Amino acid sequence: MRKIIMPEWISVGVLSERTGVSVSALHFYERKGLIKSQRNTSNHRQYPKHVIRVVSIIQVAQRTGFSLEDILLELEGLPNRTRVTIDDWEALGARWQNELDKKITQLVELKEMMADCIGCGCLSLERCRLLNPYDELGEKGTGPMLMTK
Amino acid sequence: MRKIIMPEWISVGVLSERTGVSVSALHFYERKGLIKSQRNTSNHRQYPKHVIRVVSIIQVAQRTGFSLEDILLELEGLPNRTRVTIDDWEALGARWQNELDKKITQLVELKEMMADCIGCGCLSLERCRLLNPYDELGEKGTGPMLMTK
DNA sequence: GCTTGACCTAAACTTAAGTTGAGGTATCAG
DNA sequence: CTGATACCTCAACTTAAGTTTAGGTCAAGC
């Protein structure tokens, strides 16, 4: 009694529907090697259902700033192509986590910079003095000032 | 006795050095309206020092997935161009925070999807079964399986 | 007075990530 | 048999975010 569940095959149209990614983009991903398909007798692509999940990962990764090349490297660029171990997979997972953490750090940094800028007062006057610094300045005596350092 | 600190002017080369952004990119940002300069008598651009900070914000925002158009909209696209209030600025800040939070959520989502994928076992066998699903399957009886849903 | 370095403009080129279009095939419904 | 539909390929086009190239100006130093 086998516990294996064989893949269900879906067409490119269905994959597109399920993921919200256009057919042309899916073809493109395939050309780039991010996903793979088998062909049926009519030369139509057939994807195992699990590819839905791969495409979802691609989408989210992309929206969060990874390039397709990055994603491909993460998914395919394993140290040795002949024998890939569980260790390899774990290393890959670690690298990916690391990248995610870096990106989160950058977001937090951005938040801080903005808070700084808004906090310093120079961003809260009519229009941004940082961007439009040629308005009459110092006409009022009090009020927002430009920063030195 | 005035408390106003007048801006120090810097050249495009210095701005480039200070920010790590190439001169051509800075010209480009200026064409796009992201930064502004005055010209000296030799027609050379002069930026107030604070533009360093603006460029830094642009850089970080970009690295975290905002397009220049997004950034421009956030910085410039205020409701009414003639009279911009503190409320406008706060609304802008709120929108920006919101975007940042969305992006952070996406990163967390991505982390979860990956954890899921690795956890399910199908990613921890020689090479990825999700990506290379045509390997001999079920040869061993036990071991990783493909997922149904 | 000439060269060097930092700057200027405008236009063409580049890369990533697709989209669009033209022309062709296979299966199914009436 | 004749559309309609869903797919196929290949090539050209698009947009964003710059870079590169080519030709020109200006002030400084020797």
Side-chain angles (χ1 to χ4, degrees):
Chain A
M1 175 233 190
R2 291 288 203 49
K3 286 159 67 186
I4 306 299
I5 297 152
M6 292 305 285
E8 265 180 71
W9 302 95
I10 59 178
S11 68
V12 71
V14 171
L15 182 56
S16 170
E17 253 172 46
R18 291 298 181 82
T19 57
V21 173
S22 68
V23 171
S24 66
L26 293 170
H27 285 182
F28 180 74
Y29 292 166
E30 199 168 313
R31 279 204 304 288
K32 292 277 165 174
L34 286 156
I35 56 177
K36 279 163 193 165
S37 64
Q38 265 188 338
R39 301 302 177 104
N40 68 10
T41 51
S42 315
N43 196 33
H44 288 191
R45 289 167 177 87
Q46 307 257 194
Y47 299 96
K49 242 183 160 180
H50 330 91
V51 170
I52 292 171
R53 184 174 274 259
V54 178
V55 174
S56 303
I57 290 177
I58 295 172
Q59 275 182 282
V60 179
Q62 264 192 306
R63 266 184 272 120
T64 51
F66 290 95
S67 69
L68 290 184
E69 204 186 345
D70 286 346
I71 297 166
L72 184 60
L73 285 175
E74 287 302 314
L75 293 175
E76 279 236 342
L78 294 169
N80 49 7
R81 329 201 92 239
T82 46
R83 251 175 76 60
V84 177
T85 67
I86 291 183
D87 287 354
D88 292 336
W89 265 115
E90 277 171 5
L92 187 152
R95 274 205 308 286
W96 198 305
Q97 295 292 46
N98 219 297
E99 279 303 306
L100 285 172
D101 287 339
K102 262 196 251 166
K103 288 194 187 284
I104 287 168
T105 302
Q106 287 186 347
L107 287 180
V108 171
E109 222 176 88
L110 178 56
K111 254 184 172 170
E112 277 166 8
M113 290 182 78
M114 286 191 54
D116 254 31
C117 254
I118 290 165
C120 86
C122 67
L123 275 181
S124 36
L125 186 68
E126 319 152 283
R127 218 65 204 251
C128 176
R129 284 274 153 99
L130 286 187
L131 292 168
N132 269 350
Y134 317 117
D135 310 4
E136 77 302 334
L137 192 60
E139 299 290 314
K140 309 201 170 64
T142 62
M145 278 161 285
L146 292 167
M147 301 167 295
T148 24
K149 153 144 210 314
Chain B
M1 173 231 189
R2 290 289 203 50
K3 288 161 64 187
I4 305 300
I5 298 151
M6 292 305 285
E8 264 180 75
W9 303 95
I10 59 179
S11 68
V12 71
V14 171
L15 182 56
S16 168
E17 253 173 45
R18 292 297 182 83
T19 57
V21 172
S22 68
V23 171
S24 66
L26 292 170
H27 285 182
F28 180 74
Y29 291 167
E30 199 168 313
R31 279 205 303 288
K32 291 278 166 174
L34 286 156
I35 56 177
K36 279 163 192 166
S37 64
Q38 264 187 340
R39 301 303 177 102
N40 67 11
T41 51
S42 315
N43 196 32
H44 289 192
R45 289 168 178 85
Q46 307 257 197
Y47 299 95
K49 241 183 160 180
H50 330 91
V51 169
I52 292 171
R53 184 173 273 259
V54 178
V55 174
S56 303
I57 290 178
I58 293 172
Q59 274 183 284
V60 179
Q62 265 192 306
R63 265 185 273 120
T64 53
F66 290 93
S67 69
L68 292 184
E69 203 187 344
D70 287 346
I71 297 166
L72 184 60
L73 285 175
E74 288 301 317
L75 292 176
E76 278 237 342
L78 295 169
N80 48 8
R81 329 201 92 239
T82 46
R83 250 175 77 62
V84 177
T85 68
I86 292 185
D87 287 354
D88 292 335
W89 265 115
E90 277 171 5
L92 187 152
R95 276 205 307 286
W96 198 305
Q97 295 292 45
N98 219 296
E99 279 303 306
L100 286 172
D101 287 339
K102 262 197 250 166
K103 289 195 186 284
I104 287 169
T105 302
Q106 287 185 349
L107 287 180
V108 171
E109 222 176 89
L110 178 56
K111 253 184 170 170
E112 278 166 8
M113 289 181 79
M114 286 189 56
D116 254 32
C117 253
I118 290 164
C120 88
C122 66
L123 275 182
S124 36
L125 185 68
E126 320 151 282
R127 218 65 205 250
C128 176
R129 284 273 151 100
L130 286 187
L131 292 169
N132 269 349
Y134 317 116
D135 310 4
E136 78 300 336
L137 191 60
E139 298 289 313
K140 309 200 169 64
T142 63
M145 279 162 284
L146 291 166
M147 301 167 294
T148 23
K149 153 145 208 321

